[in-house]
């Protein structure tokens, strides 16, 4: 199975900050990485798929990039509603399509 | 109307069986894979498995194979997740989610989650 190692596990930041979260895949997965946001008590929400394609309706301050087996989610200027937990997921080849361990982003 | 609506919370005893549901609407049920995701209390998301309602092709994560059964009822556009004998460690919130057709196999729509509590 392909494993996703996500870092950091937690992050404190302020409104207006630029934030990056990284996932490293255990093997080549091309661009088959997705990013989700989950707020407390809610279902996850898809933000980015295919490593860098913004899901419809998601603000443009969210972006994704890749370099080899490293994938990054960037929030360019944090807004109060962005404080949540973020997960990466790989969806390459056959299942299982494993998730990263999650990054909890809270207010500094 | 929400595209994926899950059944209500359940409280069960160890050893009991359970089936929870995910009823879909507003799209062609048989044309999209549907998956199940576990979230144990205070923990992250875990991929359990996916099913293609068109032909019931089912793929399980090795971590869950043999422990759960994923199925569908095409007549009611509903997907199911079931256990034959629950354990306390099955206590979690379970989400169903649709695999988007043009989303590089990402889960583009999610149900609201079903909380399952297993306790004696």
């Amino acid at each position: 199975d392909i494993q996703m190692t996500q870092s950091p596990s937690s992050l404190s930041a302020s409104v207006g900050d630029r934030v990056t979260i990284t996932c490293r895949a255990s093997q080549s997965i091309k661009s088959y990485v997705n990013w989700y946001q989950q707020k407390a008590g809610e279902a996850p929400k898809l933000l980015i798929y295919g490593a860098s394609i913004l899901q419809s309706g998601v603000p443009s301050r969210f972006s994704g990039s890749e370099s080899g087996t490293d994938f990054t989610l960037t929030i360019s200027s944090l807004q109060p509603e962005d404080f949540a937990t973020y997960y990466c997921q790989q969806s390459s080849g056959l299942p299982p399509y494993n998730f990263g361990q999650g990054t909890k982003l809270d207010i500094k | 109307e929400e595209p994926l609506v899950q059944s209500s919370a359940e409280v069960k005893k160890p050893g009991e069986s359970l089936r929870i549901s995910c009823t879909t609407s507003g799209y062609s049920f048989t044309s999209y894979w549907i998956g199940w995701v576990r979230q144990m209390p205070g923990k992250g998301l875990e991929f359990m498995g996916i099913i293609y309602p068109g032909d019931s092709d089912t793929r399980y994560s090795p971590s869950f194979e043999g422990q759960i059964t994923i199925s569908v009822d095409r007549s009611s556009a509903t997907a199911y997740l079931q256990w034959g004998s629950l354990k306390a460690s099955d206590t979690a919130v379970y989400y169903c989610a649709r695999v988007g057709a043009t989303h590089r196999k990402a889960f583009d729509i999610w149900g609201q989650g079903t909380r399952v509590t297993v306790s004696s």
Side-chain angles (χ1 to χ4, degrees):
Chain A
D1 297 352
I2 299 171
Q3 304 303 319
M4 300 296 285
T5 302
Q6 186 171 345
S7 61
S9 57
S10 63
L11 180 58
S12 293
S14 302
V15 172
D17 283 355
R18 179 183 180 89
V19 164
T20 60
I21 298 168
T22 298
C23 272
R24 173 166 290 173
S26 59
Q27 64 188 70
S28 174
I29 55 173
K30 300 184 180 177
S31 299
Y32 283 84
V33 164
N34 316 304
W35 291 94
Y36 302 88
Q37 176 193 66
Q38 187 180 32
K39 296 181 179 178
E42 298 183 5
K45 170 188 169 184
L46 178 63
L47 298 175
I48 287 171
Y49 62 94
S52 60
I53 304 170
L54 205 62
Q55 171 69 338
S56 176
V58 173
S60 59
R61 63 181 180 273
F62 291 93
S63 64
S65 63
E66 65 179 292
S67 176
T69 57
D70 290 341
F71 298 85
T72 300
L73 172 70
T74 299
I75 310 173
S76 60
S77 178
L78 272 175
Q79 299 302 301
E81 60 269 29
D82 299 337
F83 292 96
T85 301
Y86 293 85
Y87 295 93
C88 63
Q89 179 203 26
Q90 69 82 18
S91 52
S92 176
L94 297 176
Y97 299 142
N98 292 324
F99 293 90
Q101 299 90 333
T103 296
K104 185 175 182 181
L105 176 57
D106 60 22
I107 301 173
K108 186 185 289 183
Chain B
E1 188 177 11
E2 296 296 326
L4 300 181
V5 177
Q6 297 186 229
S7 49
S8 301
E10 300 273 1
V11 179
K12 299 296 239 182
K13 290 180 166 35
E16 292 186 331
S17 62
L18 174 65
R19 188 176 76 168
I20 62 175
S21 65
C22 172
T23 300
T24 74
S25 61
Y27 72 93
S28 174
F29 177 65
T30 54
S31 300
Y32 293 78
W33 291 81
I34 285 188
W36 289 93
V37 175
R38 182 174 78 175
Q39 188 166 40
M40 299 176 75
K43 302 299 184 183
L45 306 175
E46 298 176 87
F47 178 94
M48 302 176 75
I50 54 174
I51 187 167
Y52 187 70
D55 61 5
S56 295
D57 184 8
T58 309
R59 313 288 176 90
Y60 295 99
S61 167
S63 300
F64 293 92
E65 181 111 47
Q67 310 302 311
I68 58 167
T69 302
I70 296 172
S71 61
V72 296
D73 177 353
R74 283 184 281 275
S75 67
S76 62
T78 300
Y80 297 99
L81 174 64
Q82 71 181 66
W83 295 260
S85 180
L86 286 161
K87 302 185 281 290
S89 57
D90 292 318
T91 295
V93 176
Y94 294 88
Y95 294 99
C96 64
R98 187 185 79 169
V99 177
T102 58
H103 291 73
R104 305 280 177 92
K105 295 180 280 181
F107 288 129
D108 67 338
I109 300 175
W110 293 67
Q112 83 277 18
T114 296
R115 183 175 301 276
V116 174
T117 303
V118 184
S119 174
S120 54

